[in-house]
Amino acid sequence: MTREEVEGGRDEMEIDGCEQREANAIPEGFDANYLKIYYGKLFPHADIYKWMSYGNDGKHPGCDQSYFGRREFSFTLENDIYLRFQSFYGAYELENSIRENCPVKIDIGPVYSVDPAKRRAYAQTGDNVFTPVERELIFDIDITDYDDVRYCCSGADVCFACWPLMTIAIKVIDTSLRDDFGFNHILWVYSGRRGVHCWVCDGKARRLTNEQRGAIADYFRVYKGNENSHKKVSLTGHALHPFLARSYTEVLRNFFELKLLPSQNLFSTEERYEKILDMIHDESVKSELRGKWQENRRSTSKEDINVIRWEQLKILLQSGKQKGQGLRRGIEEIVFSYTYPRLDMEVSKHMNHLLKAPFCVHPKTGYCPLLNNSQYGLPSATLYILAFIFQLCTIGTLGVYPLKVALFSISSVLGHVCVPIDPKKCEEFDPTTVPTLSKLLQELNMEGAKSEVENDWDKTSLGKSIRFFRTSFLQPLLKSCKEEIESSYKTKLQHSKNSINW
Amino acid sequence: MESARSHRKSIANDVVSTLPLYRSAPALEVRLEDFTLFAMDRLRVLKGISDGLSRGKKTEEMEQLAKDLWRANMRHPQASEVVNKDIISHFVLRLVYCRTEDLRKWFLPMETALFRYRFRHETAEAQRSLMAEFDLSYKAVSNSEFESVKDKLCQVARSIGMSLPTADAIFYKVPFEEVPELVAGRRVFIHKGHAYVASTQVVSLVATQFRSHLSKALILTNRKWTSTIREQEKDRLAPIVEALCTSYLGPDYSQPKGFSEISLKDIDDLVKSSFPLCMRHLFEKLREDHHLKHGGRMQLGLFLKGVGLKLDDAIAFWKAEFSQKVGAERFDKEYAYSIRHNYGREGKRTDYSPYSCQKIISSTPGAGDHHGCPYRHFSEENLRAALNKMGVDGRAVENVMDKVQNRHYQLACTLTFEAVHNSSCDSGINHPNQYFSDSQKILQSKDGKGISTLGNKKRVPLLFP
Ligand code: SF4
Ligand SMILES: [Zn+2]
């Protein structure tokens, strides 16, 4: 980027006074300009390159110099042009291309057997040589898949009442990936608005076959059936598998009883408790509970009605002595139905699924008024109206118009950055305070003069995220990559030596 | 007497137990008629297994079934020839089923399943020697380690209804990657990347090896077939091999051969008249929600391709629905690609075939999914309601439900077909696209309602009843 451009960019930001922005028509493509600055000054290109090289960018003779160049990137441009199968030879090329194209979204695909940009040429040769050979094991958890168990929001919206569902999903999956499967290099990322992504980057994970990926995904799956069949969760057998048992006792049960039950008011209306009664198989228990709850609807106990009813249900199910195990399992099934992580299986099962890169800015659709901190107190009806306005904004051709109508500052409407989440402290993560593009640019703007900091991002709230990415994920990862390259090189040498001796 | 020798190169005949691993082709003289007969006998076994699996039979039932099928078909009057018949038939079918991706996709799991059931009938000693042959020389978990994880092992055993491990039980500690199916079913305790496999579960370990060896071998055989064998044997083996081939897979529905294309404006009528329940359901859900998840998009999308919906129409069709939910832009960006992909226009250039009943029945739809086979995946009341909506009622519904209870899902579908069309369906339903074409054929002969060029469709005759 030339100096003038940088200056120009800064000028623009200077006008970023909120009131002015509301009053003035917003210049066409302002989004792209903001993104340009973001990619120019804040986006951690070098870190992404380092990560995607997995140590192969070094001088060691065991490095595979073609490695990074066989990775697929794909760009979604502002005018909805979708560029797939982009590949780059090095850090410089990657950064240049991102700056030039200024993609609203960057996706990362697998490492292929050959340079994906040249796949056509290889395809001509007939042999099926263009095929994915490595790919992080990835998971995608999306809050929209929880619509039947949350009453606070629906669709792509999240709030402090339902976001914890994501938090416990991280806990359950992260613990299992480390303790059960023995993976170490795991990156969790806020997906921009409505969920989380997980990248498992150990060498062993990257080389898993589709079948093995499928096996891991199935290991995590307790949802059988759907609205067409009966059960949501089926836990058969006389005991829970150790993984499920641990998830239940260490995470799910407490979360359900202490958080979800009261915050979602799971038993507060007939419609809601009927949904839970549906999961109980014993008719007599069902009708007994139903009877109780229909009567004492106006009870004035101080205790939370949800807690009371849940206790009643538990007592009845646990005391069903002669009916035994099956009923007790019912309690677990209810808890699992409401809390257990819901993974998008397809994403994890196939090597060639694309996933949005960390540190992307959630694209235009992220004009989300709901996530601004100050808006949180608004009653939901207002939120709906705002949401509606913004829906207009994204489908309508006059993308600018509703901005003028909207009642809040411009700083809330630009996309959220997909920042890493520390699984050890995931309960502290608050999707409503994730840096937004405009907030970052404002910070940059304000701190601009002070300078003397090595990186621009250090002046912004993105700094924390990038530092976390480096120290907690990238550095340990690269260290183990180097060791792996070193040791596999040694074995190779050993082999060739042996064969010479013979 | 004319004789054919499979592959000349190999000399070793590495059969140790009665269960061969088929590592290298035998140096055996085979009479040409045995070549075919043995292969057909083995095909009967594999086909039986395939049917059993698509009925959703349980493992124990499958084991018994495989045993019976083997007894019925793979005997030989001369005891000494039994093993040879086994080996020869396997290698002949390798040749037959190596030649396309679809053929391999059918053959590989069936042979692996067969191997698995047979392995389980071997003695512990024979099993151990087979493991050694596969280089699966895992050390058994030591006593002290066993004690330290015993609780977990018991917990797993109880969770899958296996008998509890005794003090002298043998467990192997293997990388979890090597037992994907045990991992998938949560049938093992996994700790720090290692799965604790009980000696009764080693079949899974061995089957995984068997499968991966066979998979590679099929690719190699295919290369040899195209590069030399086909030409060398063009007067002798090649015709036999080609004739033996598709019989069990049924016709290839990936291209709507002999059909005229269907057009968008007819589609609603066609859904009502000629779609099997699985596709009807997907279609209705799509209309209702303007969305389907991946599994549903694949199942319905490939089916529509198979019945002759052209690419452009397909895109228009999906777009009309999806854009109501996600907007046209997002549709173009995120979904159009995969539709083109299904038609083989983008990305990998393979052409995807529509799913067979077997594949659909064995799928595992989850929350929010609508794919799968309603006869298998619907609850009873939902299935009854769906049948009523199709105009099936009274006695017919009970007959269908009866088949469902016995897990004869394709037969249930066949009965539905017969009830809806008021006409018999002798071949049974094996493929949703066959359901469609058979339906059209009947409707056309009744009142010319079907698509006109329908009669031209060439049926591949089934070799076996
Ligand atoms: S039997 Fe086949 S055609 Fe019939 S509903 Fe099931 S999958 Fe569809
Ligand atoms: Zn919410």
Side-chain angles (χ1 to χ4, degrees):
Chain A
M1 194 181 267
T2 66
R3 220 186 139 66
E4 277 93 357
E5 273 176 67
V6 175
E7 300 297 343
R10 209 165 274 166
D11 278 349
E12 271 225 52
M13 284 186 301
E14 233 93 64
I15 342 170
D16 185 28
C18 312
E19 298 85 308
Q20 278 182 38
R21 193 54 74 216
E22 271 165 32
N24 300 331
I26 291 144
E28 192 92 1
F30 77 103
D31 211 353
N33 282 332
Y34 278 33
L35 259 183
K36 251 204 175 87
I37 301 164
Y38 178 73
Y39 284 131
K41 298 180 139 274
L42 297 175
F43 186 78
H45 301 275
D47 297 78
I48 299 286
Y49 169 74
K50 276 273 164 207
W51 170 27
M52 287 291 133
S53 298
Y54 289 103
N56 285 298
D57 54 337
K59 293 271 177 304
H60 194 280
C63 290
D64 174 357
Q65 301 295 343
S66 76
Y67 187 87
F68 180 78
R70 288 183 280 125
R71 169 78 70 167
E72 175 186 359
F73 289 85
S74 103
F75 293 164
T76 309
L77 306 187
E78 205 210 1
N79 42 5
D80 272 324
I81 291 174
Y82 194 35
L83 304 175
R84 274 205 68 177
F85 298 118
Q86 307 294 300
S87 64
F88 307 101
Y89 285 113
Y92 179 75
E93 247 199 85
L94 171 73
E95 176 162 355
N96 265 0
S97 178
I98 292 178
R99 285 176 180 224
E100 260 164 42
N101 285 304
C102 202
V104 292
K105 182 164 156 243
I106 302 170
D107 284 299
I108 298 178
V111 176
Y112 286 94
S113 49
V114 296
D115 179 351
K118 303 210 179 87
R119 69 197 180 285
R120 293 251 152 72
Y122 287 105
Q124 305 299 317
T125 65
D127 259 343
N128 210 352
V129 286
F130 179 64
T131 168
V133 290
E134 272 194 29
R135 208 278 181 273
E136 294 76 11
L137 173 65
I138 52 178
F139 298 95
D140 180 4
I141 310 172
D142 195 324
I143 194 80
T144 51
D145 286 330
Y146 288 73
D147 277 358
D148 60 318
V149 295
R150 55 183 187 145
Y151 300 109
C152 51
C153 312
S154 68
D157 303 331
V158 285
C159 71
F160 54 85
C162 54
W163 179 261
L165 285 163
M166 295 290 110
T167 309
I168 56 158
I170 295 176
K171 282 191 186 171
V172 167
I173 303 298
D174 190 73
T175 308
S176 176
L177 288 171
R178 290 173 205 272
D179 293 355
D180 301 352
F181 292 100
F183 296 125
N184 294 307
H185 303 289
I186 301 169
L187 177 70
W188 287 92
V189 184
Y190 174 52
S191 74
R193 182 157 62 147
R194 49 180 204 187
V196 291
H197 292 161
C198 174
W199 301 74
V200 187
C201 303
D202 300 56
K204 208 170 77 162
R206 282 178 277 138
R207 289 185 288 270
L208 292 170
T209 63
N210 282 343
E211 191 195 9
Q212 292 161 340
R213 283 161 208 268
I216 297 175
D218 282 335
Y219 180 83
F220 286 142
R221 171 174 135 122
V222 300
Y223 285 83
K224 302 268 156 68
N226 45 39
E227 59 179 278
N228 305 315
S229 58
H230 268 310
K231 278 202 192 156
K232 297 224 170 85
V233 170
S234 72
L235 305 170
T236 51
H238 296 291
L240 290 180
H241 183 275
F243 156 63
L244 297 181
R246 182 188 61 210
S247 305
Y248 181 73
T249 51
E250 289 178 10
V251 184
L252 304 179
R253 185 178 54 199
N254 277 344
F255 171 74
F256 180 87
E257 298 192 334
L258 303 178
K259 288 241 180 81
L260 201 69
L261 195 57
S263 80
Q264 297 291 343
N265 283 310
L266 295 181
F267 286 86
S268 62
T269 67
E270 181 169 345
E271 195 197 338
R272 292 184 187 185
Y273 68 63
E274 277 299 333
K275 227 159 100 183
I276 292 171
L277 290 181
D278 253 359
M279 296 180 210
I280 300 173
H281 314 302
D282 186 298
E283 285 305 325
S284 69
V285 170
K286 261 193 214 182
S287 54
E288 187 175 341
L289 287 171
R290 194 177 283 131
K292 267 194 191 144
W293 298 344
Q294 277 165 351
E295 267 167 39
N296 79 347
R297 206 178 306 153
R298 287 171 305 276
S299 109
T300 50
S301 159
K302 261 189 254 117
E303 239 193 302
D304 187 305
I305 182 116
N306 300 291
V307 177
I308 297 173
R309 289 180 172 173
W310 173 244
E311 289 303 324
Q312 290 171 335
L313 179 148
K314 273 205 303 193
I315 289 167
L316 215 52
L317 283 187
Q318 274 160 346
S319 70
K321 288 172 219 96
Q322 70 279 43
K323 295 158 205 152
Q325 205 91 44
L327 277 180
R328 229 163 304 153
R329 183 67 14 98
I331 299 173
E332 290 159 4
E333 282 184 359
I334 293 169
V335 173
F336 272 92
S337 299
Y338 276 83
T339 60
Y340 186 84
R342 302 178 171 193
L343 303 174
D344 185 337
M345 290 285 155
E346 292 304 322
V347 173
S348 306
K349 283 184 171 177
H350 303 286
M351 284 181 110
N352 52 7
H353 236 282
L354 295 165
L355 196 67
K356 184 159 55 159
F359 296 108
C360 271
V361 178
H362 192 70
K364 268 190 294 186
T365 45
Y367 283 132
C368 172
L370 305 188
L371 288 178
N372 184 295
N373 238 354
S374 59
Q375 249 73 47
Y376 249 94
L378 290 183
S380 60
T382 322
L383 290 184
Y384 275 126
I385 294 167
L386 293 179
F388 176 70
I389 292 173
F390 275 88
Q391 224 166 340
L392 281 183
C393 160
T394 50
I395 29 181
T397 43
L398 292 170
V400 180
Y401 163 71
L403 284 178
K404 284 198 273 184
V405 192
L407 309 161
F408 40 86
S409 78
I410 193 73
S411 63
S412 68
V413 299
L414 286 173
H416 289 78
V417 179
C418 303
V419 293
I421 299 174
D422 183 352
K424 287 197 215 89
K425 301 183 194 150
C426 54
E427 54 279 278
E428 291 169 21
F429 181 83
D430 179 354
T432 66
T433 58
V434 166
T436 61
L437 184 48
S438 56
K439 181 173 170 230
L440 291 176
L441 298 191
Q442 268 171 13
E443 289 168 351
L444 202 56
N445 215 8
M446 270 152 56
E447 300 292 312
K450 293 184 196 164
S451 92
E452 296 323 310
V453 200
E454 199 189 321
N455 290 298
D456 278 317
W457 46 257
D458 262 333
K459 302 171 192 162
T460 70
S461 44
L462 192 63
K464 203 175 61 170
S465 298
I466 294 181
R467 273 190 300 276
F468 169 78
F469 180 81
R470 284 187 181 172
T471 54
S472 298
F473 170 71
L474 192 57
Q475 282 157 10
L477 171 69
L478 295 182
K479 183 161 171 275
S480 85
C481 287
K482 294 222 170 85
E483 285 162 10
E484 202 181 293
I485 288 173
E486 177 74 47
S487 81
S488 76
Y489 183 68
K490 268 200 198 128
T491 18
K492 218 160 77 193
L493 275 191
Q494 203 58 48
H495 269 290
S496 59
K497 239 196 235 139
N498 287 346
S499 56
I500 293 165
N501 284 347
W502 294 336
Chain B
M1 171 84 21
E2 199 176 22
S3 68
R5 218 184 289 224
S6 309
H7 298 254
R8 267 154 254 245
K9 262 195 241 144
S10 95
I11 327 144
N13 184 354
D14 54 2
V15 185
V16 208
S17 86
T18 56
L19 176 53
L21 302 182
Y22 318 106
R23 298 294 278 276
S24 48
L28 293 171
E29 304 270 311
V30 187
R31 295 185 316 160
L32 210 47
E33 56 269 39
D34 287 348
F35 186 91
T36 318
L37 286 176
F38 289 179
M40 285 170 60
D41 281 342
R42 193 180 192 91
L43 254 186
R44 281 194 190 96
V45 176
L46 297 183
K47 169 67 173 158
I49 290 176
S50 157
D51 283 348
L53 288 173
S54 66
R55 283 184 192 158
K57 279 198 195 290
K58 299 208 186 75
T59 314
E60 311 84 68
E61 297 171 296
M62 283 306 297
E63 260 168 49
Q64 190 54 47
L65 177 72
K67 200 171 169 184
D68 296 344
L69 285 164
W70 189 263
R71 273 220 195 101
N73 295 294
M74 294 302 285
R75 271 190 310 220
H76 195 282
Q78 280 163 273
S80 62
E81 285 300 296
V82 172
V83 173
N84 284 345
K85 178 173 177 181
D86 180 1
I87 296 176
I88 291 163
S89 62
H90 172 85
F91 277 97
V92 174
L93 289 189
R94 248 195 215 186
L95 209 51
V96 172
Y97 282 86
C98 75
R99 295 167 310 131
T100 70
E101 175 82 34
D102 274 344
L103 292 172
R104 289 192 293 267
K105 251 199 231 152
W106 184 81
F107 182 67
L108 184 58
M110 292 315 140
E111 270 289 332
T112 309
L114 174 61
F115 178 82
R116 168 194 304 272
Y117 305 132
R118 294 178 65 200
F119 182 88
R120 294 182 61 113
H121 283 296
E122 296 285 322
T123 62
E125 215 168 302
Q127 288 187 348
R128 227 165 298 143
S129 86
L130 285 165
M131 272 175 83
E133 263 191 80
F134 269 125
D135 270 336
L136 294 172
S137 39
Y138 296 108
K139 273 214 214 84
V141 171
S142 72
N143 272 343
S144 60
E145 189 176 356
F146 176 74
E147 284 306 321
S148 71
V149 293
K150 195 171 166 217
D151 288 350
K152 304 287 181 196
L153 299 179
C154 289
Q155 220 176 326
V156 173
R158 289 198 298 141
S159 76
I160 55 176
M162 239 168 50
S163 53
L164 295 186
T166 52
D168 57 351
I170 296 175
F171 277 83
Y172 299 94
K173 198 172 159 183
V174 307
F176 78 85
E177 297 98 313
E178 293 179 20
V179 283
E181 55 169 34
L182 295 180
V183 173
R186 286 193 296 267
R187 303 179 67 80
V188 277
F189 172 58
I190 310 177
H191 184 64
K192 292 287 178 203
H194 288 279
Y196 290 77
V197 178
S199 53
T200 49
Q201 295 175 314
V202 290
V203 59
S204 166
L205 204 60
V206 182
T208 308
Q209 291 292 321
F210 179 86
R211 190 189 161 104
S212 95
H213 280 291
L214 182 55
S215 170
K216 284 181 202 132
L218 284 170
I219 303 281
L220 288 179
T221 314
N222 179 37
R223 271 197 210 136
K224 265 190 221 152
W225 167 262
T226 32
S227 64
T228 53
I229 308 174
R230 183 171 49 193
E231 182 54 32
Q232 274 173 11
E233 297 284 349
K234 71 171 183 293
D235 301 321
R236 201 176 52 153
L237 294 188
I240 301 177
V241 164
E242 268 150 19
L244 268 168
C245 161
T246 47
S247 51
Y248 274 141
L249 282 178
D252 170 13
Y253 289 101
S254 61
Q255 301 298 332
K257 293 181 203 89
F259 276 111
S260 68
E261 284 135 4
I262 68 164
S263 76
L264 274 182
K265 65 175 170 26
D266 300 330
I267 207 160
D268 285 272
D269 289 338
L270 287 171
V271 171
K272 284 199 204 84
S273 67
S274 297
F275 276 28
L277 185 51
C278 53
M279 301 302 168
R280 238 177 115 110
H281 177 65
L282 282 170
F283 187 88
E284 282 162 6
K285 276 292 159 189
L286 175 63
R287 279 277 152 91
E288 204 175 302
D289 301 343
H290 313 301
H291 192 270
L292 283 178
K293 293 188 119 185
H294 177 85
R297 297 201 296 274
M298 292 298 284
Q299 184 176 316
L300 179 61
L302 292 171
F303 169 80
L304 290 174
K305 176 176 87 165
V307 304
L309 191 67
K310 279 188 310 185
L311 174 62
D312 291 344
D313 285 344
I315 290 186
F317 167 74
W318 290 99
K319 187 168 181 167
E321 295 302 331
F322 270 57
S323 56
Q324 295 178 51
K325 168 113 177 193
V326 302
E329 275 177 17
R330 236 186 100 195
F331 174 84
D332 292 339
K333 223 159 53 188
E334 290 172 27
Y335 299 99
Y337 173 84
S338 74
I339 295 170
R340 258 179 251 125
H341 189 79
N342 285 350
Y343 278 74
R345 292 283 172 91
E346 214 153 303
K348 225 166 115 206
R349 301 183 313 157
T350 42
D351 204 62
Y352 284 87
S353 320
Y355 294 165
S356 64
C357 290
Q358 198 199 327
K359 174 155 183 160
I360 294 171
I361 289 170
S362 55
S363 67
T364 48
D369 278 330
H370 291 286
H371 64 272
C373 172
Y375 300 99
R376 164 129 201 229
H377 296 117
F378 275 23
S379 65
E380 182 175 338
E381 54 198 271
N382 284 355
L383 181 56
R384 280 178 187 276
L387 289 170
N388 286 338
K389 237 170 104 188
M390 280 180 95
V392 184
D393 43 26
R395 184 86 223 113
V397 173
E398 296 317 314
N399 290 341
V400 170
M401 296 313 295
D402 184 56
K403 294 290 178 231
V404 168
Q405 253 113 55
N406 292 308
R407 300 201 296 273
H408 296 308
Y409 308 113
Q410 290 172 229
L411 291 181
C413 188
T414 308
L415 288 184
T416 308
F417 181 98
E418 292 180 342
V420 169
H421 296 84
N422 206 356
S423 146
S424 77
C425 171
D426 299 330
S427 57
I429 299 299
N430 294 305
H431 199 293
N433 290 76
Q434 172 220 345
Y435 185 109
F436 178 83
S437 60
D438 286 359
S439 162
Q440 284 288 298
K441 216 177 293 173
I442 291 170
L443 293 178
Q444 193 209 15
S445 68
K446 269 188 195 156
D447 55 15
K449 233 172 96 191
I451 296 172
S452 54
T453 53
L454 204 78
N456 305 340
K457 181 151 169 69
K458 205 174 127 230
R459 294 281 299 187
V460 179
L462 287 180
L463 259 186
F464 310 104

